[in-house]
Amino acid sequence: MITRRAFLAGGAGLGAAAALGVPPARAAAARTARVPLSDPFLLGVASGEPAPDGVVLWTRLAPDPLAPDGLGGMPSRPVAVHWQLARDEGFRHVVRQGVETARPEEAHSVHVEPAGLQPGAEYFYRFKADGEISPVGRTVTAPAPGTRSRELNLAFTSCADYQTGWFTAYRRMAEEEPDLIAFLGDYIYEYGDYKYPVRDQAGGECLDLAGYRLRHAQHKADPELQLAHAVAPWAVVWDDHDIENAWAGDVPEQPDPPFLKRRADAFQAYYENMPLRRAQRPRGSSLRLHRTLRWGAVANLHLLDTRQYRDLYACTGRSGTVGPDCQERLAPNRTILGQEQEAWLEGRLKDSAATWDLLGQQVFMMEMDWTNGEGKGYSNEGWDGYVASRDRLTAAIEATRRNAVVLTGDVHSHWAGEVKRSFQDPGSEAVAVELVTTSVTSAGDGLDEYPNTGVLLAENPHVKFFNGRRGYVRARLTEREMTVDFRSLSRVTEPYAPAYTSGSFVIEPGAPRLNQV
Ligand SMILES: [Fe+2]
């Protein structure tokens, strides 16, 4: 049987340039030249949403990924895409195959949902269109419901700003050969061009459907990102930059272009470019992103959306740090999830029979005083701006006695700590652990520690760990324990930095504490 490592070593799933050992810089230059290409699979392949009996297989046809209209150089007609799913990388044992239509109105993306698959099994998949064959992807199905023996090897990260650096973190994640990769938001940045980018992006600020499609295509053309998509199924949620900086519900940061149209365009491009289920296709400016993925009896991963239904920022109406005397952030009616999602999550925690309940979400949940020394300052963009919403969730975790671990992105550095039942009550116990992943590139190379790191940790004693480099988090979950390694890269301004472990912790079921290894 072909092992995962053999799959990686063989270069399967890589873009042709990476498979041939061409450095990313030269591959990027070749793409920028926009030579008409016949290969429509330059965006690679992906899988996602693993269930015990099925998984989503994704590709998007684009022989010219950087075409300014966002359509990838495709003609405006439907194209038949053949797909195959096999138990072996050589496709001798094909178990499912079929034909999907890639349509111009969905940017020639396909979302295939083969059903009736074996639980807890490894599969390989590929596509064919116009006589060309795609790279091969590897994916896995979730273990059967109730299965206790199977562990979950999870990797998660967030925040991949193309202009800020190389996507080395994606390569290092792929080398971990995880069962599942969770992405916690800011898969793209909508921003216009920086003055001194590490890498040039195409297209300027994303303002409409063509702009978002082009940005996604440029990301998907990256060989490091293609490798991470080809090696394991993904579970994705967005944050603000997938749409617009600091958007909150239907309120934008900038009034132009009209926000609900812009949001609809961003959601459409997000759906087209992610291995989501067809049921998650957007309806206008709405897309239901919150859902649960189950991994046998070991873990439920509840994926949350803290952007689409949140109340507007407390105290100022704009994202920022506010003082302790800003009472609005404590108002009992405020919500970061929206009432429907709050009730849904409470129900999911009540129904859960898994050892671990993972909450994959975007913004800092722990209380965090960001002001050094005298005085306190809380971000009104994280859960500190929605204290009642946090208290209702921690009450639900306590009432259902769940082993909750919160997975967070957004802040472009590694943090770990404990979420207390109520941060208003100094004697309050922790009810959950929070693991905050750093970014793929955002904020640049960074440092392991900053001059104010010690003060921040001392003034927030429930926060136990910080690392200010780029990278990702890997975790191994069993019925007995969850082990966590924070993985860091020395630099992202140059490609191929090695990854190192900057912090390791063990969490035990029934004890929401971080135990340093
Ligand atoms: Fe970010």
Side-chain angles (χ1 to χ4, degrees):
M1 182 180 155
I2 289 169
T3 64
R4 287 179 248 174
R5 194 168 292 283
F7 174 74
L8 275 173
L14 283 165
L20 295 170
V22 179
R26 215 179 306 157
R31 288 197 301 274
T32 320
R34 295 197 51 234
V35 178
L37 297 165
S38 57
D39 181 355
F41 293 108
L42 298 184
L43 306 188
V45 299
S47 70
E49 306 294 297
D53 60 348
V55 65
V56 178
L57 310 178
W58 174 95
T59 193
R60 177 183 158 200
L61 308 180
D64 182 5
L66 302 188
D69 62 5
L71 297 175
M74 288 298 292
S76 57
R77 60 173 168 81
V79 175
V81 179
H82 298 253
W83 59 272
Q84 284 188 321
L85 184 76
R87 291 304 301 262
D88 65 301
E89 196 188 350
F91 290 83
R92 284 180 298 276
H93 306 288
V94 172
V95 293
R96 293 283 187 287
Q97 55 188 329
V99 184
E100 289 279 320
T101 303
R103 297 188 166 81
E105 53 270 31
E106 290 192 337
H108 291 93
S109 61
V110 294
H111 298 74
V112 182
E113 296 180 53
L117 304 184
Q118 293 295 312
E122 180 180 54
Y123 290 96
F124 297 87
Y125 61 96
R126 64 185 177 185
F127 301 90
K128 191 170 104 177
D130 282 346
E132 297 283 336
I133 295 177
S134 76
V136 173
R138 171 196 168 265
T139 194
V140 295
T141 50
T147 305
R148 301 191 170 278
S149 55
R150 292 293 292 268
E151 63 190 41
L152 168 60
N153 287 291
L154 173 72
F156 60 97
T157 192
S158 69
C159 296
D161 187 347
Y162 192 90
Q163 296 185 80
T164 304
W166 297 91
F167 287 172
T168 313
Y170 286 137
R171 172 175 292 269
R172 301 296 171 231
M173 285 174 95
E175 289 167 351
E176 305 281 358
E177 308 163 4
D179 300 312
L180 180 66
I181 292 176
F183 194 87
L184 302 175
D186 292 358
Y187 186 89
I188 60 162
Y189 278 69
E190 86 287 11
Y191 286 147
D193 300 346
Y194 299 161
K195 207 168 180 185
Y196 303 109
V198 175
R199 297 196 289 175
D200 287 324
Q201 69 177 16
E205 186 177 2
C206 304
L207 297 169
D208 57 15
L209 185 53
Y212 288 104
R213 280 173 166 167
L214 172 54
R215 185 63 39 85
H216 275 283
Q218 186 164 29
H219 280 238
K220 280 286 193 321
D222 182 282
E224 320 288 351
L225 179 52
Q226 286 189 12
L227 187 62
H229 275 300
V231 82
W234 282 44
V236 298
V237 288
W238 55 44
D239 195 13
D240 56 335
H241 290 289
D242 299 283
I243 292 87
E244 191 218 10
N245 182 50
W247 66 289
D250 54 8
V251 179
E253 184 174 65
Q254 304 295 335
D256 287 319
F259 184 63
L260 286 186
K261 170 68 165 60
R262 185 181 191 179
R263 193 174 98 174
D265 288 346
F267 284 8
Q268 175 67 22
Y270 191 85
Y271 168 76
E272 289 170 353
N273 286 280
M274 292 296 180
L276 292 170
R277 293 193 178 274
R278 282 190 296 260
Q280 293 169 291
R281 186 182 279 158
R283 293 188 178 84
S285 61
S286 300
L287 190 159
R288 185 186 160 114
L289 199 60
H290 55 283
R291 62 205 187 273
T292 296
L293 300 180
R294 296 186 166 81
W295 205 264
V298 171
N300 287 337
L301 172 58
H302 309 288
L303 293 149
L304 310 183
D305 178 354
T306 61
R307 288 285 168 190
Q308 195 174 180
Y309 315 107
R310 67 160 66 198
D311 290 323
L312 189 54
Y313 301 109
C315 311
T316 62
R318 298 184 71 81
S319 168
T321 304
V322 296
D325 49 356
C326 160
Q327 291 298 307
E328 192 191 352
R329 70 185 189 92
L330 306 172
N333 60 341
R334 286 180 59 72
T335 176
I336 194 169
L337 295 177
Q339 285 181 3
E340 191 274 340
Q341 188 178 190
E342 276 194 22
W344 166 85
L345 179 56
E346 199 181 322
R348 281 293 155 99
L349 293 172
K350 236 178 232 163
D351 295 345
S352 181
T355 301
W356 301 99
D357 275 277
L358 307 176
L359 278 57
Q361 58 101 42
Q362 294 78 18
V363 290
F364 236 82
M365 188 177 284
M366 297 176 279
E367 182 177 273
M368 191 70 197
D369 167 19
W370 295 99
T371 299
N372 273 204
E374 285 292 296
K376 293 186 185 299
Y378 302 104
S379 164
N380 65 359
E381 191 163 351
W383 292 71
D384 274 341
Y386 304 81
V387 168
S389 210
R390 180 171 63 202
D391 285 350
R392 288 190 291 274
L393 175 55
T394 55
I397 292 168
E398 184 181 51
T400 53
R401 305 177 66 84
R402 300 309 309 155
N403 298 311
V405 177
V406 182
L407 315 179
T408 303
D410 182 53
V411 288
H412 310 161
S413 39
H414 284 317
W415 299 84
E418 294 159 4
V419 184
K420 292 188 172 195
R421 169 62 189 84
S422 169
F423 285 97
Q424 309 308 303
D425 171 5
S428 177
E429 300 264 311
V431 297
V433 166
E434 182 169 11
L435 309 171
V436 182
T437 177
T438 190
S439 56
V440 174
T441 60
S442 301
D445 290 343
L447 294 170
D448 289 306
E449 277 183 45
Y450 285 88
N452 67 347
T453 301
V455 179
L456 282 173
L457 292 175
E459 294 185 358
N460 295 277
H462 55 280
V463 181
K464 311 291 184 188
F465 174 71
F466 171 86
N467 180 271
R469 301 281 192 186
R470 311 289 72 80
Y472 58 93
V473 182
R474 72 179 175 206
R476 178 174 166 270
L477 294 93
T478 70
E479 275 205 307
R480 299 154 68 98
E481 63 181 18
M482 176 173 180
T483 59
V484 180
D485 296 316
F486 286 89
R487 302 283 287 165
S488 298
L489 304 171
S490 55
R491 70 190 70 83
V492 293
T493 50
E494 293 166 29
Y496 298 130
Y500 60 95
T501 297
S502 51
S504 292
F505 298 90
V506 175
I507 311 162
E508 289 168 0
R513 276 191 304 278
L514 279 161
N515 305 291
Q516 193 143 13
V517 177

